Amino acid sequence: MRTEAAAVLEPLWQGVLEPERLAAANGATCELRAHLESVREARRFTRCTLQRWDLGGLRDSMELVASELVTNALRYAVPVGATGAPVRLSLVRWTSRVVCAVRDPSTAAPVTKEPDFVAETGRGLHLVDSFSENWGWHPLSGAGKVVWALFLAPGGHC
């Protein structure tokens, strides 16, 4: 499935995540500042976008995944003291799939940690893997990367 997902998501690394190229009906993007409050904003943005698209069945899973991806970007990929909005959350829907993608300024690959069920942190990517159909990351030309999670839309076909 990783190869199939990469082919489906190829447009993401070709600039589709640029806000001016996302059609209002098929995509939405939100820029997030380097503040912990941005995680709450990511959840709100995801919830509102899915409601507008009449995809409420994906709400819980996608809100969780969006918050985990944004948390990871803010914790590990944004330089300390970064100003502006260094993280971009984008939701893109195709006929049978919805993608949650987080763009950040780091080129470092996300690292899945060994599960420690006693620790308070370190399970984010395990949650992303559990709640999405597939996930991965791709370096961007120039600088940064996009970490994405793919979801099957309700009523969509495999």
Side-chain angles (χ1 to χ4, degrees), residues 77 86 102-109 137-147:
V102 174
R103 182 177 182 166
D104 68 54
S106 173
T107 55
W137 73 283
H138 196 277
L140 299 172
S141 59
K145 69 178 173 295
V146 61
V147 183

Side-chain angles (χ1 to χ4, degrees), residues 28-49:
T29 191
C30 128
E31 294 192 355
L32 300 166
R33 299 176 55 79
H35 298 290
L36 291 178
E37 299 84 32
S38 292
V39 176
R40 180 176 40 221
E41 174 60 21
R43 291 178 77 92
R44 187 200 63 75
F45 171 79
T46 301
R47 178 176 52 254
C48 292
T49 301

Side-chain angles (χ1 to χ4, degrees), residues 12 14 26 51 56 71 73 88 119 124 130 138 146:
L12 291 177
Q14 300 302 325
N26 297 322
Q51 285 174 337
T71 297
R88 179 181 299 148
S130 294
H138 196 277
V146 61

Side-chain angles (χ1 to χ4, degrees), residues 20-116:
E20 60 276 3
R21 294 192 57 195
L22 284 176
N26 297 322
T29 191
C30 128
E31 294 192 355
L32 300 166
R33 299 176 55 79
H35 298 290
L36 291 178
E37 299 84 32
S38 292
V39 176
R40 180 176 40 221
E41 174 60 21
R43 291 178 77 92
R44 187 200 63 75
F45 171 79
T46 301
R47 178 176 52 254
C48 292
T49 301
L50 292 174
Q51 285 174 337
R52 189 173 66 243
W53 290 345
D54 197 27
L55 292 173
L58 291 176
R59 177 185 167 184
D60 292 339
S61 297
M62 285 192 72
E63 273 189 62
L64 174 69
V65 167
S67 67
E68 292 296 335
L69 294 180
V70 168
T71 297
N72 282 353
L74 294 173
R75 182 174 286 155
Y76 302 112
V78 174
V80 174
T83 60
V87 174
R88 179 181 299 148
L89 168 62
S90 298
L91 304 177
V92 182
R93 70 177 181 167
W94 281 281
T95 306
S96 63
R97 301 276 192 305
V98 180
V99 178
C100 174
V102 174
R103 182 177 182 166
D104 68 54
S106 173
T107 55
V111 176
T112 305
K113 296 180 180 178
E114 216 32 60
D116 180 350

